[in-house]
Amino acid sequence: MSRTPTLIALALVGLTSAPALAGGPVQTEADPAAATTPAWDWSGYHLDLRLGSPLGKGYQELPFYLGGIVSEGEAWNGTVATLSLGRDWQRGTLVYGAALSLTSGDIGAMGFYASWPNGSFQCMQCETTIDRQVALTGRIGLARGRTLYYATAGLVRADVVATALSGTVPMAEATRTGHQVGIGVEYRLRPGLSVLAEYTRTDLGRFLVMEDINALYATAEFETIQLGVSFRW
């Protein structure tokens, strides 16, 4: 039997295996499917522009007459615009930060009336108006790729004005300090730009509209839904 085919086969095996042995371990290409989605960095400064409208109703109250009389008003109405400058930090998926916000635009709630049971009235067509809100809030959130889910809480200060007869008769005005809480969601379109939606609840307490034998109070508590954009750097 001829040994020539066997020798040729052995020679071919040696030739094909020689480069691998000489060059060390064989390098394999990375599997594209194994690549992970790049993480989004939520740390840094952001400037937000938001636009929205209020929710809820305004109330007037006569707390010291016959156990208290409450007049339910109409829904808060108007449009508000908010400019917010903030700073965020990130640790893993946890994002936390603080922001200073300025909100302009009057929002008002008209009360039907607040009257004495004997037929006379203290304030007819009472209206409560809120303007020039300044809020200092902190926020904490959870990052999920391009999306950030967050909650906010902090202090707010605003001008509150009470009028009668559809705003024609001034009754009282004050600068009130209260608290604000909210929740929101932000979505990154690209590294420096996001869109967001935010719900907040603001409570400035009740304030004195008119003081006499039956003091008249009005509430300054409302909710807001806003949509906006956020510029990040």
Side-chain angles (χ1 to χ4, degrees):
M1 180 182 296
S2 175
R3 297 183 178 180
T4 302
T6 302
L7 293 176
I8 293 175
L10 291 174
L12 290 174
V13 170
L15 288 174
T16 54
S17 61
L21 295 174
V26 178
Q27 300 295 323
T28 58
E29 295 184 0
D31 183 3
T36 58
T37 303
W40 289 84
D41 185 10
W42 291 92
S43 61
Y45 292 93
H46 59 92
L47 180 68
D48 304 344
L49 300 174
R50 304 192 297 271
L51 189 68
S53 58
L55 303 172
K57 292 184 176 182
Y59 297 87
Q60 289 80 41
E61 182 180 358
L62 291 165
F64 303 115
Y65 195 96
L66 297 179
I69 300 173
V70 176
S71 171
E72 181 177 336
E74 296 178 352
W76 291 97
N77 60 82
T79 302
V80 292
T82 300
L83 176 66
S84 179
L85 177 63
R87 174 74 160 91
D88 286 332
W89 293 267
Q90 183 172 358
R91 178 172 294 181
T93 60
L94 179 67
V95 179
Y96 53 94
L100 178 66
S101 302
L102 305 176
T103 300
S104 64
D106 290 341
I107 63 172
M110 181 76 73
F112 297 138
Y113 61 87
S115 67
W116 288 333
N118 63 10
S120 62
F121 68 89
Q122 281 188 303
C123 182
M124 182 171 288
Q125 293 179 318
C126 306
E127 183 176 15
T128 304
T129 303
I130 300 173
D131 191 18
R132 290 188 290 272
Q133 303 174 53
V134 180
L136 179 61
T137 57
R139 79 169 177 175
I140 186 168
L142 186 64
R144 284 288 184 263
R146 291 175 178 261
T147 306
L148 174 66
Y149 304 93
Y150 63 89
T152 64
L155 299 176
V156 60
R157 191 172 177 86
D159 293 337
V160 183
V161 178
T163 59
L165 299 178
S166 300
T168 59
V169 179
M171 298 291 291
E173 61 179 287
T175 300
R176 303 282 301 174
T177 299
H179 63 270
Q180 184 180 88
V181 296
I183 56 174
V185 59
E186 185 173 343
Y187 182 79
R188 297 287 282 275
L189 298 176
R190 56 176 185 259
L193 180 65
S194 305
V195 291
L196 58 90
E198 186 173 288
Y199 161 88
T200 57
R201 180 181 178 87
T202 303
D203 187 356
L204 297 167
R206 68 175 190 173
F207 68 101
L208 184 65
V209 175
M210 185 166 60
E211 186 175 12
D212 58 15
I213 190 172
N214 288 292
L216 174 64
Y217 291 85
T219 62
E221 182 179 338
F222 58 93
E223 303 160 41
T224 307
I225 291 181
Q226 291 185 299
L227 303 177
V229 295
S230 179
F231 302 94
R232 291 182 162 271
W233 66 95

